[in-house]
Amino acid sequence: MKALVFHGPGQSAWEDVPDPAAEDATDAIVRVDAVTICGTDLHILKGEVPEVRPGTVLGHEAVGEVVEVGADVRTVRPGVRVLVSCITACGRCGFCKERGYGQCRGGGGWILGHLINGTQAEFVRVPHADLSVHPLPGALDAKDAVLLADIFPTAYEVGVLNGRVRPGDTVAVVGAGPVGLAAIATAQLYTPQRIIAVDPAPARLDAAKQLGADAVAAAAGDEAEQLVADLTEGLGADVVIEAVGVPESFEMCTRMVRPGGHVASVGVHGKPATLHLENLWIKNVTITTGLVDTSSTPTLLRMMAAGRLHASSLVTHTFPLNQMEEAYDVFSRASVTGALKVVLGGQPHDTVVVKAAGPGQ
């Protein structure tokens, strides 16, 4: 099959690799119909995620059709259309029993495109399939559904739920990229008084307004902090969601939050950020971090199927699956191309050879 393979910082290629084989009775093999590219993939390509070894197939989000299942898989069968979650869950360890799938200690967590081969390929092996793939309602479009593999549960769980958004809150979202926009969309489920979006790109601020932001501000200078202060009579935002992943944005968030408020850090940070405890220690501020668990994915799927969660506007570019390198180029130059989410859909691949696992596998 073809797949996008990581060959070290700044190096990747769409190339021939062996078809995936089932390695455990809980595995499923999924023919990939649609994938997307995540900001985390760009961090990997920059060499900022050293756990990813050269030779790894990238990607951790997909929609596809199950073509093979192991003997112990109970929830899906060949021919079923599924969402492949960015998080894999064994279902047995202590974290999984508490629905903390992102911290799975039974061979799960974030492994696809990280510790094992991922989804940016014609086929993917998904371990622990019973909890790691979700059957899709027939009416859902693949380009919408694939956004529920990562960005929507991440924004909702790590941003909105960790930030404890409540009715009447002022919510500031710093970073109006895909995850920030998904945070704006899902924060509205809790009827905040207002949502303020902060980003340096005018096109992204326009997208934020379309998704429900009440006010927007550029990230440069003190414009955003002044806007938050003006709208809250100098108090600060009840919840600030950091969706960029750079030191400057995190430190801005800690200056925007009110006493007793919450800062929910969602961005993938590749560099140290300064925690100004000399200013924060007296403010009773709660700061949370987190890797998504995807425990909310079934709920979000039901909401999307019912027309209560709209994702289509986040998809700005589509490509055939074999134009993976072009799609990465467009996504990596988002400030120039205006890309939010790019979705790639491949042509069906008729067969896959699934080899039996050998001794010790």
Side-chain angles (χ1 to χ4, degrees):
M1 69 172 185
K2 292 286 189 179
L4 187 78
V5 181
F6 173 69
H7 290 295
Q11 302 177 61
S12 63
W14 179 252
E15 61 189 46
D16 290 317
V17 299
D19 285 341
E23 299 177 13
D24 190 88
T26 60
D27 287 352
I29 305 297
V30 176
R31 187 192 69 211
V32 173
D33 294 331
V35 297
T36 184
I37 302 170
C38 181
T40 304
D41 296 321
L42 300 183
H43 284 281
I44 292 171
L45 283 175
K46 292 176 183 176
E48 295 175 355
V49 187
E51 299 87 0
V52 182
R53 296 181 178 178
T56 301
V57 175
L58 295 182
H60 50 266
E61 308 156 89
V63 166
E65 181 180 316
V66 176
V67 295
E68 298 283 348
V69 295
D72 292 345
V73 176
R74 297 289 181 264
T75 61
V76 293
R77 64 185 186 280
V80 173
R81 186 167 168 259
V82 295
L83 172 71
V84 178
S85 175
C86 66
I87 296 296
T88 302
C90 77
R92 299 185 302 271
C93 71
F95 285 108
C96 284
K97 288 178 180 178
E98 296 175 352
R99 302 181 74 196
Y101 305 139
Q103 304 302 324
C104 174
R105 291 298 183 266
W110 173 36
I111 58 173
L112 291 172
H114 180 209
L115 305 180
I116 67 172
N117 287 334
T119 60
Q120 289 170 4
E122 293 178 316
F123 288 90
V124 60
R125 178 181 73 91
V126 184
H128 305 299
D130 278 339
L131 282 174
S132 306
V133 300
H134 303 274
L136 287 179
L140 278 186
D141 191 296
K143 74 176 180 4
D144 295 336
V146 74
L147 302 186
L148 298 183
D150 186 354
I151 66 164
F152 267 89
T154 294
Y156 181 57
E157 295 174 17
V158 186
V160 175
L161 295 185
N162 279 3
R164 299 186 184 179
V165 175
R166 298 175 299 179
D169 277 354
T170 291
V171 179
V173 178
V174 176
V179 172
L181 293 172
I184 291 169
T186 53
Q188 293 173 76
L189 301 174
Y190 293 86
T191 60
Q193 180 183 0
R194 63 174 67 89
I195 299 174
I196 304 165
V198 179
D199 197 278
R204 291 189 170 191
L205 294 180
D206 289 341
K209 288 187 283 188
Q210 293 175 13
L211 280 167
D214 302 287
V216 299
D222 61 358
E223 178 183 338
E225 294 175 54
Q226 188 61 53
L227 177 62
V228 170
D230 291 344
L231 292 175
T232 60
E233 299 181 350
L235 190 62
D238 300 282
V239 180
V240 186
I241 297 173
E242 194 281 329
V244 182
V246 299
E248 295 80 7
S249 63
F250 173 77
E251 293 169 29
M252 176 192 293
C253 290
T254 63
R255 295 192 297 269
M256 285 181 172
V257 69
R258 69 163 174 83
H262 289 75
V263 175
S265 181
V266 185
V268 177
H269 285 266
K271 297 179 180 179
T274 300
L275 181 63
H276 288 283
L277 284 176
E278 73 277 12
N279 300 320
L280 294 171
W281 73 269
I282 201 171
K283 294 180 67 175
N284 294 9
V285 170
T286 299
I287 298 174
T288 57
T289 64
L291 175 66
V292 64
D293 294 313
T294 67
S295 57
S296 67
T297 301
T299 299
L300 295 173
L301 271 170
R302 291 194 299 270
M303 293 179 63
M304 181 176 283
R308 302 289 186 179
L309 190 65
H310 302 287
S312 297
S313 63
L314 273 69
V315 179
T316 54
H317 296 74
T318 57
F319 298 86
L321 191 61
N322 62 9
Q323 290 185 9
M324 188 70 68
E325 290 165 316
E326 293 91 333
Y328 261 88
D329 177 64
V330 168
F331 185 64
S332 67
R333 296 185 298 111
S335 61
V336 176
T337 64
L340 292 175
K341 288 299 280 186
V342 302
V343 172
L344 300 96
Q347 296 298 318
H349 184 90
D350 292 334
T351 59
V352 60
V353 177
V354 180
K355 301 177 182 177
Q361 290 185 301

